[in-house]
Amino acid sequence: MDEALLAYSAGRTDALEGQRDAAKAADPATGVDYRRGFLDGRLDVFRMLVGVRKLLRGDD
């Protein structure tokens, strides 16, 4: 379980930094968790950018 959480966290961190580690993503034991964390991190970035765009346009 700890390995899965660490892989998820690493994926999320990599997504926020804008880089993907292909080796971690392909790992048979924790690759799914890494990719899930990466996807969640990319969604966070997307939501943040949407928020910035709304602020710049003056939308509520």
Side-chain angles (χ1 to χ4, degrees), residues 1-7 30 33:
M1 181 68 164
D2 290 338
E3 293 172 356
L5 292 173
L6 289 173
T30 57
D33 300 305

Side-chain angles (χ1 to χ4, degrees), residues 35-53:
R35 291 188 304 269
R36 188 167 291 137
F38 188 86
L39 177 61
D40 286 349
R42 294 309 298 165
L43 288 172
D44 288 342
V45 170
F46 176 77
R47 289 181 188 123
M48 179 184 60
L49 291 174
V50 167
V52 168
R53 286 185 189 124

Side-chain angles (χ1 to χ4, degrees), residues 10-20 34 37-42 45:
R12 198 166 179 285
T13 300
D14 286 352
L16 295 174
E17 293 175 358
Q19 58 188 1
R20 183 174 181 265
Y34 176 85
F38 188 86
L39 177 61
D40 286 349
R42 294 309 298 165
V45 170

